[in-house]
Amino acid sequence: SQKIEQNSEALNIQEGKTATLTCNYTNYSPAYLQWYRQDPGRGPVFLLLIRENEKEKRKERLKVTFDTTLKQSLFHITASQPADSATYLCALDSSNDYKLSFGAGTTVTVRA
Amino acid sequence: GAGVSQSPSNKVTEKGKDVELRCDPISGHTALYWYRQSLGQGLEFLIYFQGNSAPDKSGLPSDRFSAERTGGSVSTLTIQRTQQEDSAVYLCASSPQGIVPDTQYFGPGTRLTVL
């Protein structure tokens, strides 16, 4: 069956450190993968998209990697700040389809 | 400009009652999606609209769930004879074209509680 797994444990890190989140998938062949941020009581907000032929994508302090052999994406927040505290969701398409399948998310808390 | 809006933000209902949830997408976005998010779970896809048509209703959990979209804009998700397991946050998203890949813009959600 199809499965998307993100870090099962919440991530607690010190301000200034790098947070690394994982997204592993099974029985998908995504053409692209997206990362979203969700704050309590709000809908997800798009952060980054990476295509299957891209190894790495950066946006400000965010970095995403995509390894289609390992079936894994890593999401890094460098120089983390308390304002980065949120739940981060990975989402991928089902074989180049408009429909996105989401992971359950990883909650990150950055301590000042 | 204005983002995706949803109403009501919270809805408490009794088991067996019908509820209607509304979504106003970003103006000009042709694609609209409904998802359901239960506590600690990922987003569960319910239905997708391209314009007023719903080419994919595969995610609707049962025939108690229906949705429509009118004028290529507002969408309504209706749940008939609500059950306690319907309690969740219902999220609506819209995207410019509904083609691959397309960024989805989410509303704040409607929290539904069925007593």
Side-chain angles (χ1 to χ4, degrees), chain B residues 18-21 64-68 76-80:
Chain B
D18 297 351
V19 295
E20 276 190 359
L21 312 180
R64 296 186 296 105
F65 287 71
S66 62
E68 64 174 15
T76 304
L77 177 69
T78 302
I79 309 173
Q80 296 178 308

Side-chain angles (χ1 to χ4, degrees), chain A residues 32 34 36 38 41-44 46 49 51 89 93 96-100 102-104, chain B residues 33 35 37 40-43 45 48 56 58 91 98 100-104 106-108:
Chain A
Y32 60 95
Q34 302 185 25
Y36 287 77
Q38 187 172 24
R42 295 180 174 263
F46 170 78
L49 179 150
R51 298 173 190 270
L89 307 170
D93 69 304
N96 213 23
D97 196 348
Y98 58 85
K99 189 191 303 185
L100 288 179
F102 285 81
Chain B
Y33 312 79
Y35 295 88
Q37 187 174 34
Q41 304 293 314
L43 276 69
F45 170 82
Y48 156 70
D56 190 343
S58 63
L91 290 160
V100 174
D102 211 10
T103 299
Q104 296 187 16
F106 284 83

